[in-house]
Amino acid sequence: MIIILLGPPGAGKGTQAKVLVEKLKIPHISTGDLLRQNVKNNTPFGIEARGYMEKGELVPDTLVNDMLLARIKVDDTKNGFILDGYPRNNAQAKILEDKLDKSDGIYVVYLQTSEPVVIQRLSGRRVCTKCGANFHLKNMPPKKEGICDICGGALYQRPDDHEETIKRRLDVYLKETASVVDYYDKKEMLYRISADDDPDIVVDKIIALAKPNRI
Ligand code: AMP
């Protein structure tokens, strides 16, 4: 089973994916997370990607495609995976289509939300420097300010979660990524779900699509 989560930055793709991992026992593959790991470790990928990411722009396809294709070949994906942040344009969607086995169940979920919700979610997001857990200053504050509830690591604000960069990411989304929604819609592969509901409700709706007998 392959679940592809689409939607603007801040639609909650990462949050939904983490719960889906627990419930479906398949890995979460986020190209944003993979890139941030490369940036943190100063790999050649990371050094090239950093500038684009800090400006809120897309990292060139050649870099992202190689990284993603290597990741989906790893053994833990044999029962499927949840993809978050990829494809971000139609060229990436075509590359992915060529690589996926058509007999796998492929569910493309479009998490719909609005710009004010996105800005509120992203500008308040804080991430743990150690374990990567996400918090929100208002919606999900840590018990102790600036400290991760799970591992005690320091929380930080992603450089691309500052308001100006959020706006740039939304522009890029509208210009380059929104067409991916049409791409899958035309192929009749798209399921639309409101991302403004409580995360548990959104996750149950996604699972109901992929495993209709489960809930
Ligand atoms: P995300 O965590 O998905 O919001 O991604 C953070 C940043 O990583 C984006 O703003 C892009 O700069 C870069 N990125 C993530 N996924 C892709 C992708 N599929 N193609 C190009 N750039 C990407």
Side-chain angles (χ1 to χ4, degrees):
M1 174 198 311
I2 293 159
I3 298 180
I4 301 175
L5 297 175
L6 299 181
K13 299 185 291 292
T15 308
Q16 314 301 354
K18 288 200 173 75
V19 185
L20 288 166
V21 166
E22 294 293 313
K23 297 204 172 184
L24 299 174
K25 313 281 180 230
I26 49 177
H28 168 210
I29 300 180
S30 150
T31 42
D33 284 351
L34 290 174
L35 286 164
R36 278 184 290 280
Q37 234 167 42
N38 277 279
V39 169
K40 196 170 161 193
N41 297 334
N42 262 316
T43 68
F45 264 165
I47 291 165
E48 243 190 277
R50 183 197 305 264
Y52 297 96
M53 294 174 75
E54 284 180 353
K55 280 188 265 166
E57 287 168 11
L58 292 188
V59 173
D61 284 357
T62 43
L63 266 178
V64 182
N65 292 340
D66 287 351
M67 191 186 70
L68 189 268
L69 296 180
R71 177 64 187 89
I72 64 177
K73 276 197 210 137
V74 178
D75 223 33
D76 65 346
T77 64
K78 62 180 185 302
N79 294 324
F81 52 89
I82 299 152
L83 201 49
D84 151 17
Y86 191 99
R88 280 282 226 283
N89 58 33
N90 289 9
Q92 293 182 4
K94 287 198 183 96
I95 297 261
L96 183 65
E97 195 170 332
D98 288 344
K99 295 290 167 189
L100 294 184
D101 184 344
K102 307 287 178 295
S103 65
D104 284 329
I106 301 174
Y107 303 91
V108 185
V109 177
Y110 175 34
L111 296 168
Q112 289 179 298
T113 185
S114 63
E115 184 168 328
V117 173
V118 163
I119 293 178
Q120 192 269 355
R121 277 187 184 158
L122 293 184
S123 57
R125 174 161 67 182
R126 296 294 181 271
V127 184
C128 177
T129 42
K130 258 194 183 159
C131 74
N134 276 233
F135 295 86
H136 189 279
L137 294 181
K138 231 172 114 196
N139 307 349
M140 210 206 304
K143 291 196 186 90
K144 209 168 149 203
E145 195 184 323
I147 304 290
C148 175
D149 291 356
I150 299 162
C151 75
L155 301 184
Y156 80 113
Q157 183 173 29
R158 272 173 48 175
D160 58 350
D161 278 348
H162 292 277
E163 192 151 339
E164 272 319 299
T165 316
I166 295 172
K167 290 197 171 132
R168 173 85 194 112
R169 287 163 70 199
L170 281 172
D171 285 347
V172 169
Y173 173 78
L174 287 176
K175 219 172 89 208
E176 311 199 35
T177 308
S179 65
V180 176
V181 172
D182 289 339
Y183 179 94
Y184 288 114
D185 204 12
K186 286 197 181 106
K187 291 180 179 285
E188 300 186 355
M189 291 172 75
L190 192 75
Y191 299 94
R192 293 168 196 271
I193 292 184
S194 166
D196 293 344
D197 287 327
D198 193 76
D200 289 338
I201 297 176
V202 180
V203 164
D204 281 349
K205 285 185 182 167
I206 298 173
I207 292 179
L209 288 175
K211 290 201 160 182
N213 299 325
R214 199 185 151 119
I215 50 176

